[in-house]
Amino acid sequence: MTTDWEKQLARRAAAAERADQQRDEDIAAARLDGHSFREIGRWAKVNHERARTICIRINGDSHTRAERETPSEPGTGA
């Protein structure tokens, strides 16, 4: 038999998981828009390395949208 506490805590855990996922998606979107990892980390209350890791997981890399759209110049290694 499930108690009221079990139901309440399960609901809160699910809500927290959804909030964490949305925060991570917002972090990734902010990076695509060109914001720095330190800036994003400060807003999201995570350290900048965590923000970078989240961006790589969601976006596939840590670049901004502008960096992705700028073609690299031959011979620069960029």
Side-chain angles (χ1 to χ4, degrees):
M1 181 174 176
T2 305
T3 67
D4 289 340
W5 279 113
E6 287 174 285
K7 291 176 187 175
Q8 180 174 327
L9 289 170
R11 282 192 306 268
R12 290 195 194 282
E17 191 173 315
R18 286 190 303 274
D20 285 346
Q21 179 61 36
Q22 184 60 55
R23 182 207 55 209
D24 288 359
E25 290 171 12
D26 290 346
I27 286 170
R31 179 59 181 165
L32 286 176
D33 283 349
H35 297 284
S36 74
F37 292 117
R38 290 190 187 278
E39 194 173 42
I40 295 166
R42 189 172 56 251
W43 298 334
K45 303 208 183 316
V46 299
N47 72 45
H48 68 282
E49 286 299 326
R50 177 76 178 126
R52 184 174 104 29
T53 301
I54 290 167
C55 290
I56 291 170
R57 178 173 47 85
I58 293 176
N59 295 339
D61 62 33
S62 63
H63 296 97
T64 65
R65 189 173 285 113
E67 291 170 340
R68 290 176 178 202
E69 293 172 355
T70 303
S72 62
E73 296 179 25
T76 61

